[in-house]
Amino acid sequence: MLAETVLAGLLLASGAAAAATPGVVIQKCSNPGMLALAYDDGPYQYTSQLVDILDQAGAKGTFFWTGTLYGCIYNQAAAVKKAYASGHQIASHTWTHPYLGQLSESQIRTEMTKVEDALVNLIGKKPAYMRPPYLDTSGAVLPTLKAMGYKVITDDIDTGDWNHNTPAQSEALFTQAGPGGNGHIPLMHEVYNTTVHELTPWLINWAKQNNLKLVTVAECLGDAGGMYQPGNFTPNGQTTCS
Ligand SMILES: *[C@@H]1O[C@H](CO)[C@@H](O)[C@H](O)[C@H]1NC(C)=O
Ligand SMILES: [Zn+2]
């Protein structure tokens, strides 16, 4: 009995560790009963409103931000600080949103360290999680991200908001997938007003109806304390993207 308990404990511990290993692609939560709303491509003009919508629902979300795709991240400093202060997870989506698999290791590192520098300047933290643009994990991507300590997230439901899916079409994908099993990590984008103002409220309601807790990606992997790289980082004073 004792041996079984110990063994179960070890299995659980190794499962949780495997779910958040740097450089290994993670598509969904490692536990049932949750949903990890995860938004790419910001910060942008809807970030602050999205934080309000999540906060009012008592939900936590995850933001995979770039440095420059929809304008310079420093121009959204207030929204960035607000999202962090509200307890949402801040994660990286690279500096310029390239196909990382076409880059050398040193170019990939630059894409990541520029976002790290910006986030140290804005919130004092370096992210521990990233989602590769276009979900491109080819070439030198995974070994480089592993060496940098990054946990790599893709998705298990692509809402297709980037491909002109309407909110109703995206919602049908969740209805089809269902609320059971380990929690979903959807691919969606905060740069579309409909994703922020229609799909997100629908998902909050869907989660409520199905007793799903709305948590960060790190929390849904049993890694709530590991949202950021360990260490104290000193801002370098940069306030522009150039
Ligand atoms: C975004 O959607 C909301 C709600 O439908 C609407 O009130 C608002 O005007 C829209 N904003 C833009 C910029 O289209
Ligand atoms: Zn993207």
Side-chain angles (χ1 to χ4, degrees):
M1 197 59 157
L2 181 60
E4 273 172 35
T5 309
V6 170
L7 182 59
L10 286 173
L11 286 173
L12 269 179
S14 65
T21 301
V24 175
V25 174
I26 300 165
Q27 286 186 275
K28 64 192 304 190
C29 301
S30 49
N31 296 299
M34 38 187 69
L35 173 62
L37 300 178
Y39 300 90
D40 292 7
D41 288 2
Y44 188 47
Q45 60 176 326
Y46 307 119
T47 304
S48 175
Q49 295 162 35
L50 177 54
V51 170
D52 289 339
I53 290 169
L54 296 173
D55 287 355
Q56 277 159 25
K60 295 285 182 269
T62 302
F63 295 93
F64 291 98
W65 280 335
T66 81
T68 61
L69 185 63
Y70 279 81
C72 171
I73 189 169
Y74 287 104
N75 296 342
Q76 300 291 346
V80 167
K81 291 175 184 182
K82 174 174 160 174
Y84 174 69
S86 295
H88 304 291
Q89 181 174 358
I90 311 305
S92 180
H93 196 45
T94 75
W95 188 248
T96 66
H97 204 271
Y99 282 92
L100 285 179
Q102 298 175 3
L103 303 187
S104 67
E105 173 175 350
S106 125
Q107 289 170 319
I108 294 169
R109 283 183 173 270
T110 300
E111 283 287 333
M112 302 309 294
T113 55
K114 284 182 139 184
V115 174
E116 292 175 358
D117 288 347
L119 290 176
V120 167
N121 284 322
L122 290 165
I123 64 169
K125 303 276 186 185
K126 289 184 183 181
Y129 283 74
M130 68 85 65
R131 190 183 250 165
Y134 316 104
L135 308 178
D136 178 3
T137 56
S138 66
V141 173
L142 293 178
T144 305
L145 292 172
K146 180 179 179 179
M148 296 184 82
Y150 274 98
K151 295 153 194 173
V152 180
I153 304 301
T154 57
D155 70 282
D156 75 318
I157 296 181
D158 178 358
T159 65
D161 60 350
W162 56 273
N163 195 27
H164 311 294
N165 264 7
T166 63
Q169 288 171 320
S170 299
E171 289 155 21
L173 300 172
F174 290 87
T175 308
Q176 276 161 31
N182 286 357
H184 302 299
I185 304 179
L187 178 70
M188 47 191 180
H189 299 80
E190 62 165 286
V191 297
Y192 302 114
N193 196 33
T194 45
T195 294
V196 172
H197 284 106
E198 293 182 41
L199 181 57
T200 294
W202 186 92
L203 284 168
I204 288 169
N205 188 50
W206 187 73
K208 203 172 287 177
Q209 287 177 344
N210 291 290
N211 288 317
L212 302 177
K213 195 175 171 205
L214 290 163
V215 297
T216 63
V217 166
E219 185 174 352
C220 97
L221 297 170
D223 187 28
M227 285 189 213
Y228 301 102
Q229 303 281 0
N232 293 315
F233 306 106
T234 309
N236 65 15
Q238 177 90 10
T239 57
T240 66
C241 286
S242 50

